[in-house]
Amino acid sequence: MGMSRLHLEVVDRGDDLELAMVVDGVELADRLDGMGMDPDVVLEMLRGSDQPQRVQLVRCGCGDDSCGAVTAVVRRDADAVVWAEFESSLGDDLPAELRFDPTRYDDELARIDGDRSWEPVERRYARQAMALVDEAVHRALTWRGLTFVDIEPSGPGTVAAHMTCGYGEDGPRWSVYAIHRVGDDPASLLEMLRHWGPTAWPVVYWWGENEQAAFVQPPMAGKRWRMWRPTDF
């Protein structure tokens, strides 16, 4: 079997990013009436290893990863990166198997990941801040009754440190978002999480994840904490 050629492009959908995978001149998601995955979700998994892994390559055109999917098993053989055992809930126009020259394939992944001109400033800041999260951050938040989840874009010019807190399986549970400006050094967000008490965080939104927490604020909440509303965040 001959080698296929992979070309990757990131498409900005306004409120979403899509990794378009063009194989031998045909865009895979268009072929199946879907859209590509978020690049940061799928790029690392596309690298493959000698341990086969099923990877979602395409999602439903609505943008929901769980609404519809095209997946394939990605693995590395001695002389190729292989996409095989395709499965789809979007359409049946699937390749049987695709084989890529590993050097060209790795160069293409490195090109799209290394350029990052497609990456909005909020996403870049969140990624850089996430790289600084260490055990000291986890310990400081745990001591204050919070569990660190992620750092994610939250709106123009801001990111949110996402945390959870709660009491037992049947007790109240909350999601907590500490908002931070992207104009500051990413280390300043981690400094805040490590050393500032939650009541001193300047902008915080929370929402109850279950009925017990719906209208009861988290126990560590300060005066600046506000219950989340869709128009606020």
Side-chain angles (χ1 to χ4, degrees), residues 31-32 70 88-95:
R31 172 175 175 174
L32 295 157
V70 176
S88 173
S89 60
L90 299 177
D92 57 7
D93 185 16
L94 295 170

Side-chain angles (χ1 to χ4, degrees), residues 155-172:
T158 64
V159 298
H162 177 195
M163 295 154 280
T164 60
C165 60
Y167 298 97
E169 291 184 5
D170 300 320

Side-chain angles (χ1 to χ4, degrees), residues 35-224:
M35 67 182 291
M37 300 295 292
D38 183 294
D40 283 327
V41 168
V42 74
L43 273 173
E44 187 59 35
M45 292 186 291
L46 285 178
R47 298 186 193 285
S49 69
D50 57 359
Q51 298 297 318
Q53 180 181 16
R54 183 162 291 279
V55 177
Q56 184 172 353
L57 304 176
V58 177
R59 52 183 158 164
C60 176
C62 73
D64 186 341
D65 293 5
S66 62
C67 185
V70 176
T71 67
V73 173
V74 177
R75 71 177 190 273
R76 284 182 180 258
D77 288 348
D79 60 350
V81 178
V82 183
W83 296 1
E85 300 176 43
F86 281 82
E87 295 180 359
S88 173
S89 60
L90 299 177
D92 57 7
D93 185 16
L94 295 170
E97 181 177 286
L98 297 170
R99 300 179 67 85
F100 304 95
D101 175 88
T103 299
R104 288 183 174 180
Y105 183 93
D106 290 344
D107 286 349
E108 183 62 8
L109 264 61
R111 180 190 67 80
I112 201 71
D113 194 28
D115 177 6
R116 290 277 167 176
S117 60
W118 47 266
E119 187 176 45
V121 62
E122 295 84 7
R123 180 186 284 240
R124 180 177 298 112
Y125 187 98
R127 177 173 55 81
Q128 292 169 344
M130 273 296 297
L132 300 176
V133 175
D134 56 15
E135 283 302 314
V137 172
H138 287 278
R139 287 196 301 269
L141 294 174
T142 299
W143 186 78
R144 296 178 175 111
L146 294 160
T147 300
F148 177 82
V149 177
D150 198 3
I151 298 172
E152 55 202 50
S154 60
T158 64
V159 298
H162 177 195
M163 295 154 280
T164 60
C165 60
Y167 298 97
E169 291 184 5
D170 300 320
R173 291 196 59 80
W174 297 268
S175 279
V176 174
Y177 297 89
I179 310 301
H180 198 72
R181 296 179 304 170
V182 301
D184 299 328
D185 189 301
S188 65
L189 172 55
L190 282 302
E191 182 75 9
M192 183 185 80
L193 297 178
R194 286 192 197 98
H195 300 299
W196 295 21
T199 58
W201 295 346
V203 180
V204 185
Y205 293 94
W206 63 269
W207 63 277
E209 293 184 359
N210 57 13
E211 186 176 351
Q212 298 93 314
F215 297 102
V216 180
Q217 68 180 12
M220 71 290 295
K223 293 182 178 179
R224 298 184 180 93

